[in-house]
């Protein structure tokens, strides 16, 4: 009689406790595997401790400040004429407390699931063993399979080395004890745009240095134009086509030198020029794990690396630097390994959001994809300027854009620029994922008045007789 392999008895070791790691651990434990997770700084990784949770908490405070500042347009008056201001000691303490609380919640959930948690640093000895260093010494973890979720760290410019006092990367910026008088942000990608928007909303003078011809060069062009116009009209200085050559401390401030010789003086500087995968020195070569030219771990649609027993998830793979994608990669990896139902990662179903003011959310095929001929589609954009709820909320900037497959009318993409666009994108993400027709969206009841009414209206405009 042939014995059957019991997949549920597998020993799984996970290196990295961010979304890719802890979500994978939860799935593996629920399927009966023995799971050990190794994390250097605390469960949640940089997403919870130094990136997503803290930055979006800061942005929430800036959003509240902006609403208070504009309240007079809605007829709200204050008995005390003094302006609102951000108590940065309290703001920073709150965002750091929230990060710690979220990390504790994740830790508790993993412990309840029976996952062994080790706080320490690890590296691969081969495709079945991790060497782990903790405060109490070095140990070896043997596993049937390993998941790498080691994340990424801020890219630094040799001529703009952060000091954590006047020159910051996006992990150090929470060292600020007061709103900077004049913050210079280098980099107009997602991270740079978000921090520029947040600190401007908190009351700082902000100069955004962009090496490209517009902010958010990788995003929907119409959305980027709206955001840049909002930035400029609200008093932010945006230096387009301006590459930073260096940053230096000058007394109680900083000086940014541009490649054309111009200089910009400010009180502080945030360098947001991308991230580098944390893949060096963790034994990938010994385990047969191949890297791309950029140093990211090569993975397929179910998160397998070039080593048969090693999977990878998250920012270290370079697929999409989103916590939601990292989590999905981790879940897919464990489902595939343990024989559960699994669907390979489909990037055209990923909804993403940029937490600027206004927010920019998108999903699926882009208008640039259609214009390049990669997809055949019809595009309709509807401004929020005629939306009744937007008028009530004093929302003047934003739109809904829907992309439908030419001929069939299936929703294949969408963009929303609006307050809370991160919430409004969900119906379009659902339509893309479930291959709904524009008429399915158009004929679904929406609340009146609501911003989602514009989604339904845009879908109606794409109806084909």
């Amino acid at each position: 009689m042939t014995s059957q392999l019991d997949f549920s008895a597998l020993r799984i070791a996970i290196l990295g406790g961010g979304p890719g790691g802890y979500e994978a651990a939860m799935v593996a434990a629920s399927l009966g595997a023995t799971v050990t997770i190794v994390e250097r700084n605390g469960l949640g990784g940089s997403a919870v401790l130094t990136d997503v949770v803290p930055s979006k908490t800061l942005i929430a405070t800036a959003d509240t400040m902006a609403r208070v500042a504009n309240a007079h347009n809605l007829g709200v008056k204050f008995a005390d004429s003094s302006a609102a201001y951000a108590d940065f000691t309290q703001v920073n303490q709150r965002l750091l407390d929230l990060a710690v609380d979220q990390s504790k919640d994740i830790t508790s959930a993993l412990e309840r699931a029976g996952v062994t948690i080790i706080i320490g640093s690890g590296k691969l000895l081969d495709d079945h063993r991790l060497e782990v260093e903790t405060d109490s010494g070095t140990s070896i973890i043997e596993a049937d399979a390993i998941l790498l979720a080691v994340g990424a760290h801020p890219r630094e410019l040799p001529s703009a080395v952060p000091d954590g006092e006047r020159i910051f990367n996006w992990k150090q910026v929470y060292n600020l004890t007061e709103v900077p008088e004049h913050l210079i942000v280098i980099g107009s990608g997602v991270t740079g745009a978000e921090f520029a928007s947040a600190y401007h909303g908190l009351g700082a003078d902000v100069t955004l240095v962009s090496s490209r011809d517009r902010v958010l060069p990788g995003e929907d062009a119409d959305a980027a134009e709206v955001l840049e116009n909002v930035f400029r009209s609200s008093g932010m200085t945006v230096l387009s086509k301006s590459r930073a050559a260096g940053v230096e401390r000058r007394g109680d401030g900083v000086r940014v030198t541009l490649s054309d010789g111009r200089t910009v003086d400010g009180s502080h500087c945030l360098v947001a020029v991308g991230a580098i995968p944390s893949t060096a020195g963790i034994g990938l070569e010994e385990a047969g794990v191949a890297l791309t030219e950029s140093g990211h771990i090569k993975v397929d649609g179910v998160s397998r690396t070039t080593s048969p027993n090693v999977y990878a998830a998250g920012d270290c793979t370079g697929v999409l630097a989103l916590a939601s994608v990292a989590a999905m990669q981790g879940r897919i990896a464990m489902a595939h390994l343990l024989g559960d139902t699994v669907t390979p990662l489909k990037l055209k179903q990923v909804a993403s959001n940029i937490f600027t003011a206004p927010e920019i959310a998108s999903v699926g095929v882009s208008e640039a994809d259609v214009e390049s001929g990669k997809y055949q589609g019809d595009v309709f954009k509807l401004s929020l300027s005629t939306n009744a709820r937007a008028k009530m909320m004093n929302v003047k900037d934003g739109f809904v854009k829907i992309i439908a497959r030419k001929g069939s009318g299936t929703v294949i993409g969408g963009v929303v620029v609006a307050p809370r666009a991160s919430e409004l994108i969900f119906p379009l993400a659902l339509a893309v994922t479930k291959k709904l027709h524009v008429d399915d969206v158009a004929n679904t009841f929406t609340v009146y008045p609501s911003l989602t009414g514009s989604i339904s209206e845009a879908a109606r405009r794409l109806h084909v007789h």
Side-chain angles (χ1 to χ4, degrees), residues 16-230:
Y22 72 72
E23 288 283 353
M26 292 296 293
V27 170
S30 71
L31 294 174
T34 300
V35 185
T36 300
I37 188 167
V38 179
E39 165 57 37
R40 180 169 49 199
N41 298 316
L43 273 297
S46 62
V48 169
L49 296 171
T50 60
D51 188 5
V52 180
V53 171
S55 67
K56 276 47 176 181
T57 305
L58 182 74
I59 288 166
T61 300
D63 180 59
T64 301
M65 286 276 292
R67 282 188 283 135
V68 169
N70 293 316
H72 65 279
N73 293 320
L74 282 73
V76 177
K77 306 297 181 182
F78 299 93
D80 184 350
S81 60
S82 61
Y85 69 95
D87 181 339
F88 237 56
T89 300
Q90 184 177 348
V91 170
N92 278 343
Q93 191 59 53
R94 177 174 181 267
L95 64 87
L96 293 174
D97 287 346
L98 281 173
V100 171
D101 287 346
Q102 185 67 14
S103 180
K104 288 180 178 178
D105 288 344
I106 295 167
T107 301
S108 297
L110 290 173
E111 289 174 342
R112 288 194 300 270
V115 175
T116 299
I117 300 170
I118 299 176
I119 300 300
S121 300
K123 67 177 182 179
L124 292 161
L125 295 178
D126 51 41
D127 61 352
H128 284 293
R129 294 183 301 159
L130 281 181
E131 180 182 270
V132 180
E133 290 187 15
T134 66
D135 292 340
S136 58
T138 302
S139 61
I140 305 297
I141 298 175
E142 295 189 359
D144 298 295
I146 296 171
L147 173 74
L148 302 172
V150 293
H153 57 276
R155 178 172 172 259
E156 296 181 357
L157 301 175
S159 57
V161 179
D163 59 18
E165 295 179 354
R166 292 283 172 178
I167 306 171
F168 304 98
N169 61 36
W170 39 262
K171 285 191 175 185
Q172 301 169 327
V173 73
Y174 310 111
N175 293 347
L176 283 167
T177 57
E178 59 185 6
V179 177
E181 181 181 345
H182 181 190
L183 178 67
I184 303 170
V185 179
I186 298 174
S188 60
V190 173
T191 302
E194 286 187 344
F195 276 113
S197 179
Y199 279 102
H200 189 61
L202 289 168
D205 286 335
V206 174
T207 296
L208 180 60
V209 179
S210 172
S211 63
R212 308 291 286 273
D213 58 353
R214 62 176 172 86
V215 300
L216 301 175
E219 304 301 321
D220 179 87
D222 291 333
E225 182 180 1
V226 168
L227 183 64
E228 186 165 336
N229 287 340
V230 169

Side-chain angles (χ1 to χ4, degrees), residues 99-392:
V100 171
D101 287 346
Q102 185 67 14
S103 180
K104 288 180 178 178
D105 288 344
I106 295 167
T107 301
S108 297
L110 290 173
E111 289 174 342
R112 288 194 300 270
V115 175
T116 299
I117 300 170
I118 299 176
I119 300 300
S121 300
K123 67 177 182 179
L124 292 161
L125 295 178
D126 51 41
D127 61 352
H128 284 293
R129 294 183 301 159
L130 281 181
E131 180 182 270
V132 180
E133 290 187 15
T134 66
D135 292 340
S136 58
T138 302
S139 61
I140 305 297
I141 298 175
E142 295 189 359
D144 298 295
I146 296 171
L147 173 74
L148 302 172
V150 293
H153 57 276
R155 178 172 172 259
E156 296 181 357
L157 301 175
S159 57
V161 179
D163 59 18
E165 295 179 354
R166 292 283 172 178
I167 306 171
F168 304 98
N169 61 36
W170 39 262
K171 285 191 175 185
Q172 301 169 327
V173 73
Y174 310 111
N175 293 347
L176 283 167
T177 57
E178 59 185 6
V179 177
E181 181 181 345
H182 181 190
L183 178 67
I184 303 170
V185 179
I186 298 174
S188 60
V190 173
T191 302
E194 286 187 344
F195 276 113
S197 179
Y199 279 102
H200 189 61
L202 289 168
D205 286 335
V206 174
T207 296
L208 180 60
V209 179
S210 172
S211 63
R212 308 291 286 273
D213 58 353
R214 62 176 172 86
V215 300
L216 301 175
E219 304 301 321
D220 179 87
D222 291 333
E225 182 180 1
V226 168
L227 183 64
E228 186 165 336
N229 287 340
V230 169
F231 280 177
R232 293 182 187 277
S233 64
S234 64
M236 186 187 300
T237 301
V238 180
L239 301 179
S240 302
K241 298 180 181 178
S242 301
R243 186 176 298 276
V247 184
E248 60 180 331
R249 288 279 298 266
R250 293 180 66 87
D252 292 333
V254 297
R255 171 166 290 179
V256 176
T257 301
L258 305 180
S259 57
D260 61 6
R262 289 178 295 159
T263 60
V264 184
D265 292 331
S267 62
H268 301 79
C269 180
L270 170 63
V271 182
V273 289
I276 297 174
S278 302
T279 52
I282 60 170
L284 298 183
E285 185 176 348
E286 291 83 346
V289 177
L291 299 176
T292 65
E293 290 185 5
S294 60
H296 293 92
I297 298 172
K298 288 183 179 180
V299 291
D300 63 10
V302 291
S303 305
R304 291 178 296 190
T305 71
T306 52
S307 175
N309 304 306
V310 182
Y311 290 72
D315 291 1
C316 63
T317 67
V319 174
L320 272 180
L322 297 171
S324 58
V325 171
M328 185 64 77
Q329 285 180 296
R331 290 192 291 263
I332 288 173
M334 294 301 102
H336 179 267
L337 174 67
L338 297 170
D340 199 10
T341 303
V342 63
T343 301
L345 184 67
K346 296 180 179 179
L347 295 181
K348 287 302 181 185
Q349 294 180 358
V350 175
S352 62
N353 190 71
I354 301 169
F355 290 86
T356 47
E359 293 182 5
I360 298 172
S362 58
V363 66
V365 171
S366 68
E367 186 171 3
D369 290 332
V370 174
E371 291 176 347
S372 69
K374 188 176 180 181
Y375 291 86
Q376 299 299 308
D378 295 312
V379 182
F380 184 80
K381 184 180 77 170
L382 181 65
S383 172
L384 291 180
S385 61
T386 59
N387 181 286
R389 185 67 187 279
K391 292 177 181 178
M392 297 170 194

